[in-house]
């Protein structure tokens, strides 16, 4: 098994224990969700920038072929992290 950030399993559990003490068990899922959304937003921004660079460096008129993604996932990708979703 590959160690994440070169720390052992015991150290990981200790860090999780300290996080639970500091933030409380009810806040941890919200924090993890926010981190996940932030990482996803940065990944999508990186992909868009990379595509734009490729598009500008190629002189031929061929469109860039990308994987087709569903409308739901595409909508979610374009939503900035920590956005407020309202049901009106």
């Amino acid at each position: 098994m590959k160690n994440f950030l070169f720390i052992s399993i015991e150290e990981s559990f200790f860090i999780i224990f300290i996080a639970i003490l500091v933030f409380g068990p009810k806040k941890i899922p919200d924090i993890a969700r926010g981190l996940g959304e932030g990482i996803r937003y940065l990944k999508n921004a990186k992909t868009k920038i990379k595509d734009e660079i490729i598009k500008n460096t190629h002189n031929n008129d061929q469109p860039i072929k990308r994987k087709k993604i569903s409308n739901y996932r595409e909508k979610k990708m374009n939503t900035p992290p920590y956005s407020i979703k309202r049901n009106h």
Side-chain angles (χ1 to χ4, degrees):
M1 185 173 159
K2 195 173 185 181
N3 289 344
F4 182 68
L5 296 176
F6 306 105
I7 59 175
S8 68
I9 293 173
E10 294 84 14
E11 291 170 334
S12 300
F13 284 127
F14 182 72
I15 291 170
I16 291 169
F17 177 73
I18 296 298
I20 289 172
L21 285 176
V22 171
F23 297 111
K26 293 182 180 179
K27 249 337 200 179
I28 298 293
D30 293 334
I31 293 170
R33 191 175 302 114
L35 285 173
E37 287 177 0
I39 290 169
R40 192 176 312 114
Y41 183 75
L42 290 175
K43 255 187 201 180
N44 294 333
K46 181 184 85 168
T47 305
K48 286 180 182 180
I49 291 170
K50 184 178 174 184
D51 287 347
E52 197 64 33
I53 290 171
I54 290 171
K55 183 178 159 185
N56 289 333
T57 56
H58 290 312
N59 290 332
N60 48 359
D61 294 335
Q62 297 176 354
I64 298 171
K65 294 182 180 179
R66 301 229 358 130
K67 294 179 190 174
K68 187 175 181 180
I69 54 177
S70 68
N71 288 339
Y72 172 75
R73 190 166 172 215
E74 190 173 290
K75 256 190 219 177
K76 187 146 178 96
M77 289 173 137
N78 294 330
T79 305
Y82 309 111
S83 65
I84 299 172
K85 297 175 184 169
R86 298 181 184 167
N87 297 329
H88 291 284

